[in-house]
Amino acid sequence: MSAVLQVRDLKVEFDGVEAVAGVGFELAAGETLGIVGESGSGKSTTALALLRMLPAGGRISGGSVELDGQDLATLAEPALRSVRGRRIAMIFQDPMSSLNPVLTVGRQLDEAVRAHGSAAKPERASRAVELLDLVGIPDAARRLRDHPHQFSGGQRQRIMIALALAGDPEVLVADEPTTALDPTVQQQILRLLERINRERGTALVLISHDLGVIAQTCRRVLVMHQGLVVEHGRTEDVLDRPEHPYTKRLLAAVPRLAEPSTAAANSTPGPEPLLTVTGLAKTYGPRRRPVTALGGVDLVLHPGETLGLVGESGSGKSTLARALVQAHAPSAGEIRYRGEPLTRSRAARREIQLVFQDPYSSLNPRMTVGQILAEPLIAHRLGDAAERAERVGELLTQVGLEPDAADRHPRAFSGGQRQRIGIARALAPRPSVLICDEPVSALDVSVQAQVLDLLSGLQRELGLAILFIAHDLAVVRQASHRIAVMHRGRLVETGPADQVVTDPQDPYTAELLAAVPQLNHRSPV
Amino acid sequence: MRTFLLRRLPSGLLVLLAASFLIFLILRLIPGDPATSLAGPDAGPEAVAAIRARLGLDRPLLGQYLGWLGDLATGRLGPSYAIGGEVADLIGDSLGATVELTLGALLLVILLGLPLGVLGATVRRGPVAVAVRALTTTVLAIPPFVTGVVLVLVFAVTLGLLPAGGHESILDQPDLGVQYLLLPALCLALPSAAILGRYLKDGLERALAEDYVRTATALGISRRRIVLRHALPNALPPAVTVLGLQVGQLLGGAVLVEAIFAWPGLGQLAEQGVLRRDYPVVQDLLLLLVAVYVAVQLVTDLVYTWLDPRIRWE
Amino acid sequence: MTTLAVGLRRRRLLPAGLHTLRGTAGVLLVGVVVLAGLLAPLLTDADPLAQSGLALAGPSGAHPFGTDDLGRDLFSRVLHGIRTDLLISVTAVPVGAVLGCALALLAATSRGADVAVQRVFDLLLAFPGLILALAVTAVLGPGRWPVVIVIALAEIPGFGRQLRAGILVQREREYALAARVGGASRARVLLRHVLPNAVDPLIVQGAIAFSLAVFIEGAMSFLGVGVRPPEPSLGGILSQSMAYLSTHPGYAAAPLLVVTALVLGLTLIAEALNEGIRR
Amino acid sequence: MTSLSRRSLLRGSVAAAGLLSLAACRSAAESGDGAAASAGPRRGGTLSLATTIDYTPSLLFAQSANTLVQRLVFNTLTRYDDQLRPQPELATSWQPAADGRSITFKLRDDVLFHDGRKFTADDVIFAVKNLQNPVRSAQLRSTAATVTEFRKNGDHELTLELAHPVSNLFDLFEFMIITDSATVEDAVAGKQLIGTGPFRYGKRTPGSSITFTRNEKYWNPGRPYLDGVEIRVIPQADSLVSSLKTGQSHLSYHVPGKDLAGLKGSGQFQLRPYDTGSGAYYIGVNVSAEQVKDKRVRQAISWAVDRERLVQQALGGYGLPSAAPWPKSSPAYSDANATHYRHDPAKARELLKEAGVSGLTLPFAHSNTPDGTAIAQILQHDLKQVGIETELQPTDSPTMQKQLISQTMPALWTLSHGFAQLHPATLAVSAYPFNEAKNSSHFSSPGYTDIVQRAWKRPDSDSAEAKALYQQVTDTLLDEAFVIDLAIGGQIEVAGTKVHGATLNKFNYLNLDDAYLTV
């Protein structure tokens, strides 16, 4: 097998700071290579460097990227342009923002086709239809006139792939192509990539933080850590017999669907329901064409219990969470706290707190951590200034941060630390119920494990009831006593955590389970 | 579109009603009155009284206001007090001139602003970048009336290329009309073009930092094409909003430019009307300006939705 | 990649913007003009109001900028004119800003208020500014106050719309929801959480507003409704000099230079701040 | 709507660029250089005239700021020569009665109105009655009102009976335009103008222009020479000057004083001051204001002002510094009157001291035009030198007008007045600042009333006796100083070298009967 892409000792700097400190690999025609690593490992920078598309401030400071013997690292810009898309193409993470929102899909495909050929308009149009067909968009010819926002997330990623294939490249670099997608859709996209690799012989470089995704798609894998390749080899070898300590740590942190729930070790749920939800419904939009977000949800949460709530995006998980903290009023149904309707009791407001998914946007950038944590105390008139300061310190210690963190702004903290701050804020008014809306989805696996540990520790310590919302079934199984599965605004199944995973009653649950990428390598044919 | 209009029209009418009241009130608060202006410098009190009665200025204020609204509702604008002729004719004539000026200026705003914005966003270094930046900033730093006087001095008085002022309808005599139009339109357009250019530049820079531009680059599409075909369509909708605001400013700012270039437009008429306390002319005119502004905003929003497919109405 | 972007965003906003070449140049230009105005009594002992038979003289030792049409010392008039403009802007711009912001906050309280406030902005923008200037001056009589009022009125929609847009964006951020869930009242969420995050563009608007103030003052002087003569103002001197532009261009040069420097400086500051915010 | 149409919109806007840059075949900018003028009148051409003030139809019968239209479309019965001697126009001859109580006119019988109707004595009767109507607010209404009876003797002879003799009767006939009675209401509404004059009213675009075309059936054979006249309204004085300089306009009477010197220096223009012209700059004093009740204070003001500097700095050197209202052509003029007050701050201070006045601060209204503001600032400065502080009140003209008529002027104001160019009685009877019965200064005295009435109600205006009365009027004005005259500055004609033969009558009516343009 001849190497189509040969990367030697690639180094990338951002304003003098080294982000990639020497990456080398080779890729044979038609091969699949995975690059795995956590945020900051330099994997995405490496991907961009392959096409020499580093953002402003970044430059290749050493090494070479040879595509069929031609060094892209030193190639002149016009020559580089004729290589991009034509010989090496790229797919990005977020298909929504990566497609031009104001141009029709047809226009964008047309642009991609004409970038590397002077075909006449009708030919280009038929080529566009062909490409959409190839990536499995139904009714391709008609949909050329549609704009990106008229497609679903999965379809948008298919369109991205179609764009990348327009120049018929030998190498396709996919940077986290499925991260923004639901598991079932992720599965489809990975299958599509596999198929393209198989049928067209396009070599694939797949970058992901998710070992499962790599395991499922790539023959070889590269593990990156702090700008360096720490381990490199056949996928099954690396997964089964990791050699580098980092790889071992990484593999240990990955939650596995097969592992049973650990929730029982934290607490035993009390018998009396703490929170009772009956027939909760929420519709949005104009009265004539309402959009149903929640279609009659019944739910109970016991003291000291963790209830996992899973479902795909748009299934109504967040709407439910926000209704529980009274961020909006439900259209129908009722929520009772200790038997009292929620709306009547002001105290209940204090008792139910929310932990957000995004540790960046959910903290006010203008406030210090101390101010952020004191806010709920002020709002609920708890203590005077001195008492509040004391409580802030206590909270910070509780979530594993130093008390002097109070004086700093959120931007001084990493993602995991920020999520700890978010949790501390939720704990501030001493609630009995914590609604965690995807609290670990934005975090790296190692950090994710720490935050999960923190949550179970808090439950042990404080006897909290937790509604744990997530889309990752493995995480949910591990953390929850019970699991509720949500689909299109309804709960389709509720049961003990282990039972739901091992013996799903609803076909949708089964489908979800099947889509979870497994670490046991399923080498592509 | 219908629902869009139905939603917007009532509040637009409300603005007009509020505006009419304000306009009426302000005019009555201004000292001096039409009758004494009309009577001339050496009139006696009986002449003034006779004129007051003839104009109906002896009626109570509320009656005058309601009378005006009633006349408006029935489409009767009546005769002007001092300027002479029917208000409808006066406004009609000057509206034509102002529309000509505004459209001319708008065209120049687009013609100048578009390249300024595109160059500003794409050329980062070199003489072109410096020239573009210097042009946008200095144009904004010099008061418009100075620009006007300098333009006249250079192009009309010194070079003798273009007329110093006046108006010739571009519809009747296109070749002469354009020459009369050029300087005032330019004077009016320069600051707005600079503003549009700046917004466009900001918008383009934002657009060029977007992921879809990265996608296009990865596809090997040329920079030029990326800027003009991919980024520009995204930068246009917000620029259109700015342009809409500028049209409002152009209409209002025309007072000064019209004075400098002796352009017989709405601004001149309004100024004359205020100076002679010609209530009917000023009232109807100002209300018209507000109405035009409201309409322009409406059109701007429509164009915005048309340019941005994401928020297109059903 | 992501950490990198965050790292860039972490830099302090305001100083970062002004530390650029553009920002420094702007601060320098504005600083020199403002200082010249503030120190006017120290820089010249010529009375800006004293007339003489020596009209329209060119620059000389006694009159560094020459004299105007009434034989007054232009250097002194320009310096004192800066004071007048500063005084007017320093009163009018904050008033306009505060009113605009108050309206924007009012708009954030309910849908109805939002529509009403937006229409108020429309009305203010739709009303031809110079006609308003003529009317206000006619009602109040000439002087500083009508100029201040007209400028303040003209500034309201700029600040108001800017802040309203900012509030709309910031209100949707999760931290605002977090504050609400944490139990903060609507007013507290708006004032304590949303507002501080929405004010950044207002600083840019502020710089623009000051240059607008200088222009409005000038335009009003040009129409004969500016500050009460013989008090010098930049716009007043400039508009008087226009008549002599072809015969005595030196007369217009000094006030024009100062106005241009001032507005240029403000524009540069605004641009620099804007870049700082966007970074 | 497809993206294609959006794109074509952009393309369209680019294409429109071509339209604007389209080099025109005709040029709207005329070359302003006036080549050597050939001798003798020439038929043809359209004279372009620039004015800062638009014509106000409703003031057709009143003396107003823009009086360029009247004599183009209409005629008067008689017209004055330079020595205020009436000359025939629509009247061929006239015979006043010895007692001054009637006058008989013989009228031209070959005159047609623009609509083809013949001009008769009835039109004169209508014209007089029209001016008697208060709504027309004609300044010479008091003179017109002395006509009590009309006696027609055929279509072209007419006797007017007067209630009493008036010395300024021919001022009335210089002033009174002969209009078509049927369309007079249209005329004041600005719809049409029908007269007997050399030009027919063409099209008016308010605020912009008025055009006139040659009256082919004008009674004066071979006249006018011009094919047409265009009056261009250019409110901004600087723009008006630019328009003259570029040759877009040929002629103007509204160039501000400060621009005159520049124009004169360029050699492109002929400047002709009408020293018999109508303008006189003055300070009005409201004698009912406590601080200026004492006439010594008013006299002090008159001593304090530097009239020479005012003329130099504000009027471009065109104007006659004068303490009295009369121009040199007036029968009331004398050098002694004009120089009665000179610039003498010491004397002013002395008078103030005498009156026991100190620390005076007076409100001082002035027109907010650039010229008015400049004049006010000069005066303010001069007054300050003698210890009188003033607070300037720039006022727009309608407000000023209202204050004038309603007698609510502040203690001091400065404006200009007309009517001194005529028979002196007209000033005191018809010009508001001087009116003996009711004026803005709140000044009245039986003595002043008596002299004015006697000067007015006389059959003659030129005799030694009449002149003695005029001197008494002047003496009162100078002594009481309720109107402090500063400078007599008439209209200054600024004409391109091509323009010949344009004149103004005593009321500034533009007469273009003999005007022509050379190539």
Side-chain angles (χ1 to χ4, degrees), chain B residues 102-183:
Chain B
T102 308
L103 286 184
L106 196 63
L107 193 62
L108 286 176
V109 167
I110 294 171
L111 288 178
L112 295 172
L114 218 58
L116 276 181
V118 171
L119 288 175
T122 52
V123 186
R124 310 311 305 245
R125 274 180 208 87
V128 177
V130 172
V132 165
R133 207 169 299 156
L135 195 67
T136 26
T137 345
T138 38
V139 158
L140 283 174
I142 296 175
F145 62 88
V146 177
T147 323
V149 174
V150 170
L151 282 179
V152 170
L153 209 60
V154 173
F155 288 100
V157 177
T158 311
L159 298 177
L161 289 174
L162 293 165
H167 169 240
E168 199 65 66
S169 171
I170 207 157
L171 297 177
D172 301 344
Q173 303 193 319
D175 54 343
L176 288 184
V178 167
Q179 297 179 52
Y180 278 103
L181 181 62
L182 211 53
L183 286 186

Side-chain angles (χ1 to χ4, degrees), chain A residues 426-492:
Chain A
L427 292 176
R430 300 183 198 277
S432 55
V433 179
L434 218 52
I435 313 288
C436 300
D437 188 2
E438 305 254 12
V440 294
S441 323
L443 306 175
D444 283 322
V445 277
S446 53
V447 182
Q448 177 176 318
Q450 294 165 15
V451 171
L452 287 173
D453 277 350
L454 172 65
L455 282 174
S456 51
L458 288 170
Q459 186 171 53
R460 229 177 0 247
E461 209 177 305
L462 306 171
L464 293 168
I466 297 177
L467 180 66
F468 188 90
I469 300 171
H471 62 266
D472 186 336
L473 268 166
V475 171
V476 173
R477 178 178 185 185
Q478 185 193 325
S480 311
H481 294 92
R482 287 189 299 140
I483 292 181
V485 181
M486 207 163 185
H487 185 48
R488 293 187 182 159
R490 292 176 186 282
L491 289 184
V492 293

Side-chain angles (χ1 to χ4, degrees), chain A residues 322 361 364 366 375 411, chain C residues 10 175 188 193 197 200:
Chain A
R322 274 149 213 236
S361 75
N364 191 334
R366 287 302 165 100
E375 268 298 297
R411 60 174 169 270
Chain C
R10 264 177 215 166
Y175 69 81
R188 191 172 169 84
H193 294 265
N197 283 290
D200 271 350

Side-chain angles (χ1 to χ4, degrees), chain B residues 38-39 42 46 164 179 260 275, chain D residues 26 58 137 141 239 248 398 432:
Chain B
L38 261 183
D42 300 278
E46 68 275 37
Q179 297 179 52
I260 292 170
L275 284 181
Chain D
R26 283 185 291 171
S58 61
S137 54
R141 191 164 75 87
S239 311
Q248 267 180 284
Y432 204 70

Side-chain angles (χ1 to χ4, degrees), chain A residues 6-88:
Chain A
Q6 177 88 45
V7 179
R8 286 196 191 89
D9 198 25
L10 182 68
K11 288 180 180 156
V12 179
E13 275 183 17
F14 277 95
D15 297 321
V17 180
E18 202 155 71
V20 174
V23 168
F25 63 86
E26 58 182 56
L27 183 72
E31 207 195 351
T32 50
L33 173 71
I35 301 181
V36 73
E38 294 184 300
S39 46
S41 64
K43 59 184 190 306
S44 286
T45 307
T46 305
L48 289 170
L50 294 183
L51 278 82
R52 218 173 82 202
M53 288 197 9
L54 296 166
R59 63 179 191 97
I60 296 177
S61 53
S64 63
V65 179
E66 280 177 24
L67 184 71
D68 265 352
Q70 200 172 28
D71 187 5
L72 302 188
T74 54
L75 204 60
E77 192 62 37
L80 196 61
R81 201 169 64 223
S82 65
V83 172
R84 285 183 192 143
R86 177 75 193 84
R87 309 200 55 194
I88 179 165

